[in-house]
Every structure is written in structure tokens, then in C-alpha cells.
Amino acid sequence: MALQAIKGFNDILPPATTTWRWVENTFHQLLSSYGFGEIRLPIMEYTELFSRSIGDDTDIVEKEMYTFSDRSNRSLTLRPEGTASVVRAFIQHGLAAAGDIHKLYYVGPMFRYERPQKGRYRQFYQLGAEVFGEEDYHQDAEILIMLARYFHVLGVRSAKLNLNSLGCEKCRPAYRQALQDFLRQHDGQLCTDCRRRLGKNPLRVLDCKRPDCRNIVAGAPKILDYLGADCRAHFDGVTRLLDGAGLDYQVNPLMVRGLDYYTRTTFEFLAGDLGAQNAVAAGGRYDRLVEELGGKATPAIGFAIGMERLTMLVDSASVPGSAPFIYLAALGEKALEMLYPLLHALNQEGIGTVLNYRQKSLKNLMKKADRIKVEYTLIVGDQEMEQGAAILRNMKTKEQQSIPLNTLFASIREVFNGHQNN
RNA sequence: GUGGGUAUAGCUCAGCUGGUUAGAGUGCAGGAUUGUGGCUCCUGAGGUCGAGGGUUCGAAUCCCUCUACCCACCCCA
């Protein structure tokens, strides 16, 4: 059988990588401007970190992790998400003790052993960010407005914000109890999965997709009615700021998260044209996690964006081009030898330049120049070598000018600068 | 883990109820235009028809097994 990549592990080739890089660069730029610093994390952690943070009863930990033993029999896991590692690093490096607010972001691959389908792969990339030490609802809104701006800059209009609050450790138990009591009355009508969830994690019943379950859930108590005064004020603060920013969003009291650590504000950006895996970004507050993992009690909020899903929504036509500026068309050995140093000189100057090494017809070289969408083509053949002047062709206007061979570098640089200023 | 679908040229796909040299578009190479791209036209190269087995005079086509990919469930970014 022919060699191929592992199931669910994909190569990303040009021109898709052009989109990826633009999406990443835009993210770096945006997050930096909001005062976030980049954190680079290991790809593996001790398994315990994930079981303790994500939750032992979650699907991710129960059946979706790449876990194996190293040579000294420690259980290691390829990270299935980024937040756990950021929190671990935050505690390990004493950032909590340093006090103040810490804003961190990361970009990189995550791994989950799931059956691949549209928008879901075993190695997938996330763009994520976390803010530690700020409990104020302004921070929640900042992140949501920043994300909306990000999608706007990328030309992604279809991502719709869904918002909810899961309350805190004070108000959630009461809600959980009320929900459980309600669901128990309708036990018989729930699907087998939901009956199982009922005991351990009743909130997960809320986002079951089966019509029967949805019907029952429609009449269930709503978390938003059970929020304590502080959580209520926090949530109202967030929605007030979103309204003020003119951000479109929908409050969805049925939205819960698959990871156990979330509290208060939770959100998802959903896009219709992504197929079944329609969440392009999601996140929320997790005010208890730092303490639960052994750090000093620190409020926190974060999000993660699915890179593959996001790039599916980005129109490749809106990605800024990065084609070389000039194609050097060398006709004959002498021309090639003369132009070769110019290739490097121009590129060193930041002027994107490519040169052909094979001897082809001018027609063929022009065709290649056209394909890679350069602005100019420089033609040098025997005639030009004899006359001491090359032909510079503007590929858009088709205008051609003669340039003395001994001023090629300076002339091209001048044309390039003129082009930049337009 | 459970369903369903697909697998033919580098890429996207056609190939009717089995029939002899397996096609198209696109891309690639050359030409029409002896040194000027995009449009048009012509020519050419490029295929173990996913793998293995079976039925048959004859299989890309029918049957079985396997593998891979895709979509969906579950779950999630």
C-alpha cells in the first residue's frame, strides 16, 4: 500500500497555506494590539493535567485522548486543547503570585482521537487566548468584541454569537438540582444517552440534538433564572456592553460546554455553512480552574478558535496576495549568467524576484510569468545582450521600456518603489 | 465506537443493461504566432480503472473480502 499520512492528520499545501498564514498573522496582530503576549506551549503534558482540568467524565478525557506511556512509565497525553497547558504554565511560573492581569494567547495543533469528518480532524489547529486575574465583566465583553472584530477583518460574516451564563459555584448547584428534578419526571421520554447524563452531568442533556429530548428540554428550568445577584449583574453587564458596541448576539440558555471547568459567561460563534461541526470559536469564563489545579484563586476567561473551520469560512479571494514582483526571463546562457546575481540582489532588497534556469521559448516564459501573477517581466536575450539594454514589461498595462544593462538593479528598484507608492 | 456514500489521468469527473485501442474538462509539453502572457484552435505525453479473490469466452462494469477517503451520529474548535 502506498505511504500516506495518519488518518485525520492532514497536509496543508499552497495555496491554502497562504490563507492560513494570513489568518494567523491577523490574529497575532490583533491580539498584540489588545495587549496579549504569545505563549508557546509543549505539545505533550502529563495526562493528569487534562483529566483534572477538562474533567474525568467528559468525552474528551474518556475516549478522545492520545495517551501513552513514556520509557519511565509516566502517562503522557498529546494535548487535546490549550487552556489546561496555559493554566499549568501560569501556575508553574508563579505568574499568579506576581499578581496583576495576564493576557496570553497561543497558536498550534491539538490532538483528539475522534472519527474525522467535515471540520473535525485528529490533528487540528487552534488559535486561543486566556486572561487571568480580571473578574470584571468588561473583560468578557472585550474578548467577545475583539473576536467579532477579528471575524470582520477576515471577511467572515456568517459567524453568529451565542451567549449564556453557567453561573458560579454558588448558584449552579441549585439549578442543577432543579434541572435534575425536572428531567427525572420525564425520564422515560429521554434518549438513552440523556438518561445516562442525567445522573452525572444533567446540563449536557440541554444540548442533545434529538427532537424528543429537545421537546422536553424546552420546558425545563433555565439557568439564567437561577443566577445569583452577582452572576446576574455580571451577565447583564456583558450584554449591555455588547449592545453598546452594536454587536449582534443571541442569548441561548441551552448552550452548555463540553469541558467541565467553565463558569459564568460562556459563548460560541456558530456558522451555518460549516456542516455539522458548526462552532468556529468557543470559550468562556473559568474562575475556579486555577485554584483547582493548585494555584492561587484567580478568575480567568478564554476562548479557542478552530483554524480549519475558520479558514473554510474565509474567501481565498480576500487574502492579500504575496506574489513575486518581477520575473526575470533569461533567453540563452549568457543572459542567465548575467541575471543570476540580480536574482539575489533584488530579493535581498525585498523585491520579490524569480528567474528561469531552463532554456524555454519567450512565449513559455511569459506564460509562466503570467501564472505567478508578477507585476513586471524583465526580458534579456541575445539581442538585448548585444544592444546593452533589457526590456522591462508591465504585465498589466503591457507597456515596455528599455533599460540599460548596467543600471538594471537601480532601475528596477526605482520602478518597485514607484509601484509601492501607488 | 455506529451508520451511509465514494474510490477511473497530477486535479475535478463521465463511462448506459459486462464486449475488443478506457474518455472529457483542467493542468503539463509542443505548435498555429522562427523573441512576448491571458482568449481561440490543433497536436502530444500522462492510467497496475483503490487492493486481492471469484463468476464469465470476455470485467472499470456483476459478486465477495479488505483498505482508504468523505459525510453523518456521538462529541467538539
Side-chain angles (χ1 to χ4, degrees):
Chain A
M1 187 176 48
L3 246 40
Q4 51 180 300
I6 300 166
K7 180 200 283 282
F9 288 63
N10 300 120
D11 301 308
I12 299 135
L13 305 168
T17 39
T18 306
T19 302
W20 277 59
R21 207 172 54 226
W22 181 57
V23 165
E24 283 171 359
N25 288 346
T26 306
F27 189 73
H28 283 290
Q29 219 173 334
L30 180 69
L31 273 283
S32 301
S33 76
Y34 272 90
F36 286 74
E38 183 182 9
I39 181 168
R40 302 221 177 184
L41 300 158
I43 250 148
M44 282 193 279
E45 298 274 1
Y46 291 119
T47 303
E48 181 192 6
L49 172 64
F50 300 116
S51 55
R52 281 178 58 186
S53 60
I54 298 169
D56 274 323
D57 298 328
T58 58
D59 280 29
I60 293 178
V61 171
E62 274 183 356
K63 53 186 191 187
E64 294 175 2
M65 296 205 303
Y66 277 92
T67 297
F68 50 88
S69 297
D70 69 7
R71 294 186 181 213
S72 53
N73 268 327
R74 294 279 319 240
S75 179
L76 307 182
T77 295
L78 250 35
R79 61 183 188 187
E81 59 116 37
T83 301
S85 297
V86 181
V87 173
R88 196 261 310 134
F90 176 78
I91 296 169
Q92 182 177 336
H93 300 289
L95 301 182
D100 202 8
I101 298 167
H102 290 85
K103 303 167 97 173
L104 299 167
Y105 78 93
Y106 59 87
V107 174
M110 307 295 163
F111 305 85
R112 291 184 201 171
Y113 192 86
E114 299 179 272
R115 192 80 165 258
Q117 71 186 65
K118 186 178 171 70
R120 194 178 69 188
Y121 310 101
R122 289 183 172 181
Q123 174 175 334
F124 61 102
Y125 289 76
Q126 287 191 338
L127 311 165
E130 319 288 346
V131 177
F132 296 99
E134 183 54 83
E135 189 172 18
D136 195 287
Y137 62 83
H138 285 82
Q139 185 61 61
D140 304 39
E142 176 194 295
I143 279 182
L144 291 168
I145 294 166
M146 179 179 75
L147 271 174
R149 266 197 56 200
Y150 181 50
F151 294 138
H152 183 83
V153 169
L154 296 180
V156 173
R157 298 301 158 80
S158 56
K160 299 275 180 273
L161 172 59
N162 274 31
L163 194 64
N164 193 19
S165 175
L166 294 179
C168 61
E169 76 273 16
K170 288 184 205 133
C171 42
R172 192 155 15 156
Y175 173 68
R176 193 185 136 109
Q177 191 59 52
L179 179 64
Q180 219 162 24
D181 291 345
F182 173 85
L183 292 174
R184 287 233 164 88
Q185 292 167 22
H186 304 274
D187 203 348
Q189 299 156 62
L190 293 170
C191 69
T192 50
D193 284 333
C194 285
R195 253 175 280 170
R196 183 173 48 77
R197 291 174 184 131
L198 191 48
K200 281 201 161 176
N201 200 346
L203 269 62
R204 301 315 308 275
V205 177
L206 293 177
D207 67 351
C208 183
K209 284 176 185 167
R210 291 172 193 276
D212 290 350
C213 296
R214 295 191 84 116
N215 279 336
I216 294 164
V217 161
K222 303 284 187 289
I223 178 77
L224 294 176
D225 297 328
Y226 283 75
L227 295 182
D230 289 351
C231 289
R232 184 77 234 179
H234 187 96
F235 186 70
D236 290 343
V238 174
T239 55
R240 182 177 61 78
L241 290 176
L242 296 185
D243 290 336
L247 206 68
D248 204 24
Y249 66 94
Q250 175 151 22
V251 174
N252 179 0
L254 298 182
M255 188 189 69
V256 294
R257 315 285 14 267
L259 292 72
D260 283 353
Y261 51 64
Y262 286 110
T263 55
R264 288 196 167 171
T265 311
T266 57
F267 54 87
E268 284 180 353
F269 281 84
L270 303 178
D273 37 354
L274 280 179
Q277 311 303 321
N278 62 350
V280 64
R285 191 161 269 289
Y286 49 96
D287 291 336
R288 304 278 310 143
L289 184 60
V290 175
E291 190 176 4
E292 277 168 20
L293 289 182
K296 172 179 146 193
T298 307
I301 180 169
F303 67 85
I305 302 169
M307 186 74 179
E308 289 82 358
R309 295 178 189 181
L310 179 56
T311 52
M312 278 192 270
L313 298 173
V314 170
D315 179 3
S316 59
S318 63
V319 178
S322 54
F325 178 71
I326 187 166
Y327 188 90
L328 306 181
L331 293 165
E333 291 296 333
K334 270 187 275 179
L336 174 57
E337 291 311 309
M338 191 214 52
L339 289 174
Y340 189 73
L342 192 60
L343 166 75
H344 298 295
L346 288 171
N347 272 311
Q348 201 170 325
E349 198 77 0
I351 302 170
T353 308
V354 289
L355 168 65
N356 67 294
Y357 301 138
R358 294 187 186 181
Q359 292 307 318
K360 296 281 191 178
S361 67
L362 180 57
K363 174 194 172 74
N364 190 280
L365 297 179
M366 292 300 293
K367 205 170 172 178
K368 287 199 189 326
D370 184 55
R371 287 282 155 73
I372 58 179
K373 297 193 167 25
V374 291
E375 299 294 333
Y376 285 86
T377 298
L378 185 79
I379 301 166
V380 183
D382 292 342
Q383 288 173 29
E384 287 72 25
M385 293 299 282
E386 275 171 35
Q387 293 162 9
I391 299 167
L392 183 67
R393 179 179 176 89
N394 182 319
M395 297 301 276
K396 286 211 179 74
T397 66
K398 300 184 182 184
E399 283 173 288
Q400 298 192 164
Q401 54 180 303
S402 182
I403 301 180
L405 292 184
N406 52 16
T407 69
L408 279 182
F409 178 77
S411 301
I412 292 170
R413 187 170 57 184
E414 199 175 313
V415 169
F416 177 76
N417 289 336
H419 183 266
Q420 292 299 100
N421 293 335
N422 281 343

